[in-house]
Amino acid sequence: MEIQKNIWYVTLLLTMIAGYCDTVTFVAADSIFSAHVTGNFIVFAYQIIKGSDVHAWIKLLTFPIFILAVIVGGRIALKSVNRYTILFWEGVILVLSGIASYVFGYLENFSEWTMYAVAMSTVFAMGLQNAFGKLFAKETHGPTTMMTGNVTQASLDLGNLIKNGTNDADSFLSFKKQMVTIFGFLIGCFLGAVAGKFFGLGTLILPGAAMIICYWYHRNS
Protein backbone atom coordinates (compact mmCIF):
# COMPACT_ATOMS: atom_id res chain seq x y z
CA MET A 1 0.00 0.00 0.00
CA GLU A 2 2.84 2.38 0.88
CA ILE A 3 4.54 1.71 -2.46
CA GLN A 4 1.34 2.43 -4.38
CA LYS A 5 0.83 5.65 -2.45
CA ASN A 6 4.39 6.68 -3.28
CA ILE A 7 3.77 6.12 -6.99
CA TRP A 8 0.82 8.52 -6.88
CA TYR A 9 3.00 11.23 -5.31
CA VAL A 10 5.94 10.71 -7.67
CA THR A 11 3.63 10.75 -10.70
CA LEU A 12 2.01 14.00 -9.59
CA LEU A 13 5.37 15.64 -8.89
CA LEU A 14 6.97 14.64 -12.18
CA THR A 15 4.01 15.65 -14.31
CA MET A 16 3.81 19.02 -12.58
CA ILE A 17 7.54 19.61 -13.08
CA ALA A 18 7.36 18.65 -16.76
CA GLY A 19 4.38 20.90 -17.39
CA TYR A 20 6.07 23.71 -15.47
CA CYS A 21 9.39 23.50 -17.31
CA ASP A 22 7.75 23.06 -20.71
CA THR A 23 5.70 26.21 -20.23
CA VAL A 24 8.40 28.31 -18.56
CA THR A 25 10.75 27.88 -21.50
CA PHE A 26 7.93 28.42 -24.00
CA VAL A 27 6.91 31.68 -22.32
CA ALA A 28 10.34 33.03 -21.35
CA ALA A 29 12.68 31.48 -23.95
CA ASP A 30 11.44 32.22 -27.46
CA SER A 31 8.67 29.58 -27.58
CA ILE A 32 10.95 26.60 -26.93
CA PHE A 33 9.32 23.41 -25.64
CA SER A 34 11.69 21.74 -23.17
CA ALA A 35 9.70 18.61 -22.30
CA HIS A 36 7.71 17.88 -25.47
CA VAL A 37 10.57 18.59 -27.87
CA THR A 38 8.78 17.43 -31.02
CA GLY A 39 6.53 20.45 -30.56
CA ASN A 40 9.57 22.54 -31.51
CA PHE A 41 9.31 21.16 -35.05
CA ILE A 42 5.93 22.85 -35.36
CA VAL A 43 7.23 26.14 -33.98
CA PHE A 44 10.26 25.91 -36.28
CA ALA A 45 8.13 25.31 -39.37
CA TYR A 46 5.79 28.16 -38.44
CA GLN A 47 8.64 30.62 -37.87
CA ILE A 48 10.33 29.63 -41.13
CA ILE A 49 7.26 30.34 -43.25
CA LYS A 50 6.83 33.62 -41.36
CA GLY A 51 10.29 34.66 -42.52
CA SER A 52 12.16 34.30 -39.24
CA ASP A 53 15.95 34.47 -39.10
CA VAL A 54 18.53 32.12 -37.60
CA HIS A 55 16.66 32.01 -34.30
CA ALA A 56 14.10 29.65 -35.78
CA TRP A 57 16.81 27.10 -36.54
CA ILE A 58 17.83 27.04 -32.88
CA LYS A 59 14.60 25.13 -32.19
CA LEU A 60 16.11 22.14 -34.00
CA LEU A 61 18.98 21.99 -31.49
CA THR A 62 16.55 20.71 -28.89
CA PHE A 63 16.32 17.36 -30.67
CA PRO A 64 20.00 16.26 -30.53
CA ILE A 65 20.31 17.70 -27.01
CA PHE A 66 17.29 15.67 -25.94
CA ILE A 67 18.73 12.52 -27.52
CA LEU A 68 22.07 13.07 -25.77
CA ALA A 69 20.29 13.55 -22.44
CA VAL A 70 18.39 10.28 -22.82
CA ILE A 71 21.63 8.45 -23.61
CA VAL A 72 23.30 10.00 -20.55
CA GLY A 73 20.27 9.06 -18.45
CA GLY A 74 20.67 5.46 -19.57
CA ARG A 75 24.32 5.45 -18.56
CA ILE A 76 23.49 6.96 -15.17
CA ALA A 77 20.90 4.24 -14.60
CA LEU A 78 23.43 1.51 -15.42
CA LYS A 79 26.01 2.84 -12.97
CA SER A 80 23.67 3.82 -10.11
CA VAL A 81 22.21 1.64 -7.39
CA ASN A 82 19.46 4.17 -6.70
CA ARG A 83 17.12 4.47 -9.68
CA TYR A 84 16.22 8.01 -8.60
CA THR A 85 19.77 9.20 -9.25
CA ILE A 86 18.63 10.31 -12.71
CA LEU A 87 16.11 12.64 -11.08
CA PHE A 88 18.81 13.99 -8.76
CA TRP A 89 20.90 15.12 -11.70
CA GLU A 90 17.83 16.53 -13.39
CA GLY A 91 17.21 18.60 -10.28
CA VAL A 92 20.82 19.79 -10.14
CA ILE A 93 20.70 20.93 -13.77
CA LEU A 94 17.42 22.80 -13.24
CA VAL A 95 18.73 24.53 -10.11
CA LEU A 96 21.96 25.56 -11.86
CA SER A 97 19.96 26.79 -14.86
CA GLY A 98 17.80 28.95 -12.63
CA ILE A 99 20.81 30.30 -10.76
CA ALA A 100 22.59 31.09 -14.04
CA SER A 101 19.53 32.98 -15.22
CA TYR A 102 19.48 35.14 -12.09
CA VAL A 103 23.25 35.70 -12.09
CA PHE A 104 23.40 36.84 -15.70
CA GLY A 105 20.29 38.93 -15.15
CA TYR A 106 21.90 40.61 -12.15
CA LEU A 107 25.02 41.33 -14.18
CA GLU A 108 22.79 42.89 -16.86
CA ASN A 109 24.28 40.49 -19.37
CA PHE A 110 21.29 38.22 -19.96
CA SER A 111 21.61 38.07 -23.74
CA GLU A 112 19.42 36.03 -26.01
CA TRP A 113 22.22 33.47 -26.31
CA THR A 114 22.28 33.10 -22.52
CA MET A 115 18.53 32.59 -22.67
CA TYR A 116 18.96 29.85 -25.27
CA ALA A 117 21.68 28.19 -23.20
CA VAL A 118 19.40 28.05 -20.16
CA ALA A 119 16.55 26.72 -22.31
CA MET A 120 18.76 23.99 -23.78
CA SER A 121 19.98 22.94 -20.35
CA THR A 122 16.31 22.61 -19.38
CA VAL A 123 15.74 20.44 -22.44
CA PHE A 124 18.61 18.25 -21.24
CA ALA A 125 17.00 17.97 -17.80
CA MET A 126 13.69 16.94 -19.34
CA GLY A 127 15.53 14.36 -21.45
CA LEU A 128 16.77 12.80 -18.22
CA GLN A 129 13.21 12.68 -16.92
CA ASN A 130 12.06 10.98 -20.10
CA ALA A 131 14.84 8.41 -19.69
CA PHE A 132 13.68 7.76 -16.13
CA GLY A 133 10.12 7.24 -17.35
CA LYS A 134 11.19 4.68 -19.95
CA LEU A 135 13.67 2.81 -17.80
CA PHE A 136 11.53 2.72 -14.66
CA ALA A 137 8.01 2.76 -16.06
CA LYS A 138 6.55 1.16 -12.94
CA GLU A 139 7.59 4.15 -10.82
CA THR A 140 4.80 6.29 -12.30
CA HIS A 141 1.26 5.83 -13.60
CA GLY A 142 2.25 6.76 -17.14
CA PRO A 143 4.45 9.10 -19.20
CA THR A 144 5.09 12.32 -17.28
CA THR A 145 6.34 14.65 -20.01
CA MET A 146 3.79 14.14 -22.79
CA MET A 147 0.10 13.72 -22.28
CA THR A 148 -1.22 12.38 -25.60
CA GLY A 149 -0.92 8.74 -24.58
CA ASN A 150 -2.40 9.44 -21.16
CA VAL A 151 -5.37 11.28 -22.65
CA THR A 152 -5.90 8.37 -25.07
CA GLN A 153 -5.92 5.85 -22.22
CA ALA A 154 -8.21 8.04 -20.13
CA SER A 155 -10.62 8.28 -23.07
CA LEU A 156 -10.66 4.49 -23.49
CA ASP A 157 -11.26 4.08 -19.75
CA LEU A 158 -14.06 6.63 -19.84
CA GLY A 159 -15.70 4.76 -22.69
CA ASN A 160 -15.60 1.55 -20.65
CA LEU A 161 -17.02 3.32 -17.61
CA ILE A 162 -19.89 4.78 -19.64
CA LYS A 163 -20.65 1.31 -20.93
CA ASN A 164 -20.15 -0.74 -17.74
CA GLY A 165 -20.43 1.82 -14.94
CA THR A 166 -18.12 2.05 -11.93
CA ASN A 167 -18.43 -1.71 -11.50
CA ASP A 168 -15.56 -1.94 -13.98
CA ALA A 169 -12.92 -1.64 -11.25
CA ASP A 170 -9.92 -1.90 -13.58
CA SER A 171 -11.10 0.90 -15.86
CA PHE A 172 -12.05 3.06 -12.90
CA LEU A 173 -8.59 2.69 -11.32
CA SER A 174 -6.85 3.31 -14.64
CA PHE A 175 -8.99 6.40 -15.23
CA LYS A 176 -8.01 7.81 -11.82
CA LYS A 177 -4.35 7.22 -12.58
CA GLN A 178 -4.60 9.07 -15.89
CA MET A 179 -6.37 11.97 -14.21
CA VAL A 180 -3.37 12.37 -11.91
CA THR A 181 -0.99 12.62 -14.86
CA ILE A 182 -3.21 14.94 -16.90
CA PHE A 183 -4.21 17.35 -14.17
CA GLY A 184 -0.72 17.31 -12.67
CA PHE A 185 0.69 18.40 -16.03
CA LEU A 186 -2.05 21.02 -16.43
CA ILE A 187 -1.35 22.49 -12.99
CA GLY A 188 2.35 22.59 -13.82
CA CYS A 189 1.62 24.37 -17.10
CA PHE A 190 -0.44 27.04 -15.36
CA LEU A 191 2.21 27.63 -12.68
CA GLY A 192 4.92 27.71 -15.33
CA ALA A 193 3.03 30.25 -17.41
CA VAL A 194 2.67 32.60 -14.43
CA ALA A 195 6.28 32.09 -13.33
CA GLY A 196 7.66 32.51 -16.84
CA LYS A 197 5.69 35.67 -17.54
CA PHE A 198 6.39 37.49 -14.30
CA PHE A 199 9.67 36.02 -13.00
CA GLY A 200 11.45 34.43 -15.96
CA LEU A 201 13.74 31.44 -16.26
CA GLY A 202 15.18 31.91 -12.78
CA THR A 203 12.15 30.11 -11.39
CA LEU A 204 13.60 26.85 -12.72
CA ILE A 205 15.21 26.67 -9.28
CA LEU A 206 11.85 25.64 -7.83
CA PRO A 207 11.24 22.42 -9.80
CA GLY A 208 14.95 21.62 -9.50
CA ALA A 209 14.81 21.85 -5.72
CA ALA A 210 11.63 19.73 -5.68
CA MET A 211 13.38 17.06 -7.74
CA ILE A 212 16.40 16.97 -5.43
CA ILE A 213 14.10 16.63 -2.42
CA CYS A 214 12.35 13.76 -4.19
CA TYR A 215 15.70 12.05 -4.66
CA TRP A 216 16.72 12.42 -1.02
CA TYR A 217 13.37 11.05 0.08
CA HIS A 218 14.02 7.96 -2.06
CA ARG A 219 17.79 7.81 -1.54
CA ASN A 220 17.58 4.27 -0.20
CA SER A 221 15.39 3.01 -3.06
Side-chain angles (χ1 to χ4, degrees):
M1 182 63 72
E2 185 65 27
I3 294 176
Q4 290 298 320
K5 186 177 181 180
N6 179 67
I7 293 175
W8 287 89
Y9 290 147
V10 171
T11 300
L12 180 62
L13 176 65
L14 294 186
T15 53
M16 288 181 63
I17 286 176
Y20 184 99
C21 292
D22 213 23
T23 310
V24 162
T25 53
F26 187 84
V27 172
D30 192 28
S31 303
I32 291 177
F33 288 107
S34 55
H36 193 195
V37 292
T38 51
N40 292 314
F41 294 166
I42 299 172
V43 178
F44 164 73
Y46 173 74
Q47 291 182 337
I48 287 297
I49 65 170
K50 294 287 288 186
S52 295
D53 54 13
V54 67
H55 296 88
W57 292 88
I58 295 176
K59 304 292 189 304
L60 297 183
L61 283 177
T62 60
F63 196 64
I65 289 174
F66 185 86
I67 292 173
L68 176 62
V70 173
I71 293 173
V72 171
R75 295 298 180 88
I76 292 174
L78 287 174
K79 296 183 178 181
S80 303
V81 176
N82 188 334
R83 57 189 177 277
Y84 285 87
T85 301
I86 299 176
L87 300 184
F88 170 77
W89 287 111
E90 175 187 348
V92 169
I93 292 171
L94 290 175
V95 168
L96 293 178
S97 298
I99 291 174
S101 178
Y102 278 127
V103 168
F104 283 106
Y106 179 77
L107 296 175
E108 297 183 356
N109 192 33
F110 193 72
S111 66
E112 61 183 16
W113 295 110
T114 303
M115 173 193 70
Y116 287 130
V118 172
M120 294 304 164
S121 65
T122 307
V123 171
F124 193 93
M126 289 296 100
L128 293 180
Q129 183 167 322
N130 272 273
F132 175 85
K134 281 293 185 181
L135 294 170
F136 307 108
K138 293 183 178 180
E139 295 297 315
T140 64
H141 289 319
T144 60
T145 58
M146 56 190 76
M147 293 297 110
T148 305
N150 296 327
V151 172
T152 301
Q153 184 60 56
S155 301
L156 292 172
D157 294 332
L158 181 60
N160 290 332
L161 290 173
I162 292 174
K163 178 182 178 181
N164 303 320
T166 55
N167 293 327
D168 188 342
D170 291 338
S171 293
F172 187 59
L173 178 59
S174 178
F175 184 73
K176 289 195 297 182
K177 291 178 179 179
Q178 302 314 316
M179 288 299 99
V180 171
T181 64
I182 295 167
F183 281 103
F185 192 86
L186 178 61
I187 292 170
C189 288
F190 178 78
L191 295 175
V194 174
K197 178 177 176 59
F198 295 105
F199 304 105
L201 295 173
T203 58
L204 290 168
I205 292 175
L206 298 177
M211 196 65 81
I212 292 173
I213 292 172
C214 178
Y215 164 77
W216 282 110
Y217 182 79
H218 299 93
R219 62 186 180 277
N220 295 320
S221 298

